[in-house]
Structure formats: C-alpha cells, structure tokens
Amino acid sequence: DQQVKQNSPSLSVQEGRISILNCDYTNSMFDYFLWYKKYPAEGPTFLISISSIKDKNEDGRFTVFLNKSAKHLSLHIVPSQPGDSAVYFCAARRNNAGNMLTFGGGTRLMVKP
Amino acid sequence: DVKVTQSSRYLVKRTGEKVFLECVQDMDHENMFWYRQDPGLGLRLIYFSYDVKMKEKGDIPEGYSVSREKKERFSLILESASTNQTSMYLCASRRGGGGETQYFGPGTRLLVL
C-alpha cells in the first residue's frame, strides 16, 4: 500500500509555462515533505522541502504548497525551462521515524523548447 | 560539497551469486541508506544505518543484508541474487542531529540473469 502517491507518471509542458506536479499521501503522521529531482544516470538531488506547520515554501522558480486537510502537496515550477526535464519524486517523513523517508513513484517532466 | 560514490555503475550477475554493492561518503555523515528504485514504485528503503555497526530494516529488507564497519562505508549484500532483485540501487547519506536532506550516489544498475 503506497502511502505517498504521484498519480501522474508523466507531464509535458511548454518552455516558459508553469509546471505543476502533484503528490498525495495517506499517513497523517507525516510531518515533513521533500521534493527530489533525478536526471538519467544520476542519483536524486534535493530540490525543496516544507514542514507540516507551513502551507507554502518558495525558492526561486520553485514553490511547494501543502494542503494538510486534503493530504496533498504540489510543486510549481515557474517559468519551466528545458533543463527542468527530469523525474521528480515527492517524499515524506514520519514524525516518529526521523531517519526514514517514504517516496512516491515519481513524475517524469518534459519541458519542450 | 557532499560526495557519495558507489563502486559500480552497472553490474551483471547470475542467479544464486553473492553480490556486494559498496557505498562511500566523504562528509562524515552518521546516517546511510540503501534504496532500490523500480518504475512506478519510486524509491523503497531496504536498510539504513545510523552509526558504525548499527543497522535498521527498511520497508523491503528481505533477501538483503548490510554491513557498516567504518563510518564512511555502507555495503549492501545480496546473499543469493535472484531475478526479482534486478533493479537500480541507490545509496544515500545524511548528517545526524536532525538533518533532513539525504544526499544520493549515482546508483548501480544491477541485472540478475
């Protein structure tokens, strides 16, 4: 049973437009959420995170929104660039299991020039 | 800059062989992790270690063991490889004391024939 789900396996966006990647979770014990980006033949790299006490965190072109009541988070990339083309994983940490992250299945983003 | 290296990028093994995957990090991190990545399933935690000679099972430890004799090195062992262990294996490290970000190696793609 996947506790963190990314329901869209892929997303295609035109350069300059907004990319919105979504993530849903089921475990109310998750208190910290992260987004990782992965290029082919490389390990995932940390992108942005948000604590459950916040509903938004922004870093340059990247913004993560958290809706706790809906158990939903989203990553917005504005404006999208071709170099953003990668697989994006959402991850969640349980507040009683500090070392363990639960990852979603990933969304492949393709930004077309 | 954190560097996590993995001993091999690609490995081909036969069913029943013993397989060693090595991971080394150079940032004196206390915590180290082994994940496998499969399409649609994201990253799933196999084992992690929070100190030398300490280990904890993750979500899918069956068929695997680990060894951490030195702080910088974390090994994943497949005692008797099976075809369902064909996967991408990712190692990560994280500092102790509440650090959130895990830093990943480039991955080892293992094919078991």
Side-chain angles (χ1 to χ4, degrees), chain B residues 53-71:
Chain B
K53 297 192 185 294
M54 308 302 283
K55 60 185 179 184
E56 292 283 345
K57 291 180 181 179
D59 297 318
I60 51 163
E62 298 78 17
Y64 303 94
S65 62
V66 290
S67 171
R68 192 158 180 211
E69 297 297 318
K70 293 185 177 182
K71 191 175 185 181

Side-chain angles (χ1 to χ4, degrees), chain B residues 11 13-19 21 35-38 44 46 60-65 76-89 108-113:
Chain B
L11 270 181
K13 296 291 181 181
R14 296 223 172 260
T15 302
E17 278 192 78
K18 191 168 185 175
V19 182
L21 302 182
Y35 293 89
R36 62 178 282 177
Q37 181 199 348
D38 299 289
R44 292 180 292 164
I46 304 171
I60 51 163
E62 298 78 17
Y64 303 94
S65 62
L76 179 69
I77 303 150
L78 288 66
E79 294 289 342
S80 177
S82 62
T83 55
N84 63 13
Q85 292 179 309
T86 291
S87 188
M88 168 71 85
Y89 289 88
T108 296
R109 186 165 291 284
L110 173 66
L111 173 62
V112 182
L113 299 173

Side-chain angles (χ1 to χ4, degrees), chain A residues 44-83:
Chain A
T45 54
F46 169 74
L47 190 58
I48 193 169
S49 61
I50 188 167
S51 164
S52 60
I53 61 172
K54 295 186 174 182
D55 55 18
K56 178 182 174 181
N57 187 28
E58 194 171 348
D59 183 3
R61 297 186 297 115
F62 302 92
T63 303
V64 56
F65 295 92
L66 175 63
N67 182 333
K68 280 181 65 178
S69 60
K71 294 190 174 68
H72 177 84
L73 66 156
S74 60
L75 173 69
H76 292 210
I77 306 173
V78 182
S80 302
Q81 299 173 353

Side-chain angles (χ1 to χ4, degrees), chain A residues 2 32 34 36 38 40-46 49 87 89 93-94 98-106, chain B residues 9-10 31 33 35 37 40-43 45 48 50 57-59 88 90 94 100-102 104-107:
Chain A
Q2 280 192 293
Y32 198 83
L34 306 90
Y36 280 83
K38 185 180 185 301
E42 294 182 15
T45 54
F46 169 74
S49 61
V87 177
F89 292 99
R93 186 197 74 177
R94 292 192 291 278
N99 275 318
M100 295 177 66
L101 294 178
T102 302
F103 284 81
Chain B
R9 297 300 300 269
Y10 300 95
N31 302 316
F33 308 81
Y35 293 89
Q37 181 199 348
L41 297 178
L43 280 69
L45 182 64
F48 70 94
Y50 52 89
K57 291 180 181 179
D59 297 318
M88 168 71 85
L90 291 159
R94 195 193 80 180
E100 302 304 341
T101 304
Q102 294 186 16
F104 284 85

